[in-house]
Amino acid sequence: MRIVLLGPPGAGKGTQARRLADRYGLAVIGTGDIFRDHVARGTPLGREAKAYMDRGEYVPDRIAVEMVLARLDQPDAREGFILDGFPRTVPQAQALERALTEAGRPLDAVLNFKISDEMAVKRLTSRLVCPNCKRVYNLSFKPPRVEGTCDVCGHELQLRNDDDEATILRRLDVYRTQTEPLVLYFWERGLLRDIDAEAPEEVVADRTIEAISDLSDLEA
Ligand SMILES: [Zn+2]
């Protein structure tokens, strides 16, 4: 299964990505991690990317695409992958599609997690994060079983209220401006599947599985 996830901050995309990965044995590929890895290892792509970042410039699509494609060749991504946070622009999507088609591994679906701005703000202002295993909780929607403690590793949780409402609304606005052409692009290709993400994590997980049930049948 080869999937791209779209969705604004607060849509619970990261959580759903992890659940899908566990269920279907897919690699979750986040571009932030790939970037940091290349820079840390000092690869040619990493050095090139760092030069742009040091100048305060955006890293060009070409470099981002190359990094992602190299990552998709790793053994853990052979059975399938979930791309989270990439592509962000239509040119990136075109480059990705071209490369995957050439490799005989075209995308199966693009899952578009949808929530209202109001709900996104509500979620993003009440987040708790585990500094140890990075699991995210939410005081209003997904509280930990024991107050202030990570369900998985038992570490003490930290409140993540680093963003105020105005900042969050600005991020949501940037997301929509940037992503709307991408949504249209994938819709035109018959790949887009909308998922109503304004529900508790378990419910959204069920909707997600339902949305790709035809794909998992193919794999079975
Ligand atoms: Zn933890």
Side-chain angles (χ1 to χ4, degrees), residues 130 132-135 137 150 152-155:
C130 173
N132 183 44
C133 72
K134 311 292 179 215
R135 193 156 289 251
Y137 298 86
C150 179
V152 180
C153 73
H155 202 281

Side-chain angles (χ1 to χ4, degrees), residues 15-171:
T15 307
Q16 298 301 332
R18 207 166 34 234
R19 295 182 74 118
L20 282 177
D22 289 347
R23 188 181 171 98
Y24 298 109
L26 308 171
V28 179
I29 298 176
T31 32
D33 300 335
I34 304 181
F35 248 58
R36 279 187 290 276
D37 176 57
H38 273 271
V39 172
R41 286 191 292 127
T43 65
L45 283 173
R47 286 201 302 271
E48 216 182 323
K50 194 170 178 300
Y52 283 98
M53 294 190 288
D54 287 347
R55 291 196 299 266
E57 293 171 21
Y58 281 111
V59 177
D61 282 352
R62 173 183 57 81
I63 295 177
V65 169
E66 263 188 72
M67 283 184 182
V68 170
L69 291 176
R71 177 66 185 82
L72 295 181
D73 275 338
Q74 300 286 305
D76 68 325
R78 293 263 158 79
E79 296 300 312
F81 55 79
I82 301 168
L83 273 173
D84 181 6
F86 185 90
R88 283 193 196 281
T89 64
V90 170
Q92 286 180 357
Q94 287 168 328
L96 176 72
E97 236 192 347
R98 211 161 32 235
L100 289 176
T101 304
E102 273 170 26
R105 313 165 74 196
L107 288 176
D108 293 310
V110 175
L111 305 182
N112 187 26
F113 292 91
K114 301 179 80 162
I115 55 164
S116 65
D117 282 3
E118 194 190 1
M119 178 66 90
V121 168
K122 229 182 200 174
R123 285 185 179 175
L124 292 170
T125 50
S126 55
R127 286 222 278 201
L128 291 169
V129 66
C130 173
N132 183 44
C133 72
K134 311 292 179 215
R135 193 156 289 251
V136 177
Y137 298 86
N138 194 293
L139 287 172
S140 27
F141 303 96
K142 193 197 164 200
R145 281 195 288 273
V146 178
E147 197 186 320
T149 305
C150 179
D151 290 353
V152 180
C153 73
H155 202 281
E156 196 181 325
L157 298 175
Q158 289 173 352
L159 195 58
R160 239 188 81 167
N161 54 0
D162 43 347
D163 289 339
D164 58 25
E165 188 170 334
T167 309
I168 291 168
L169 285 172
R170 219 164 23 243
R171 276 167 63 203

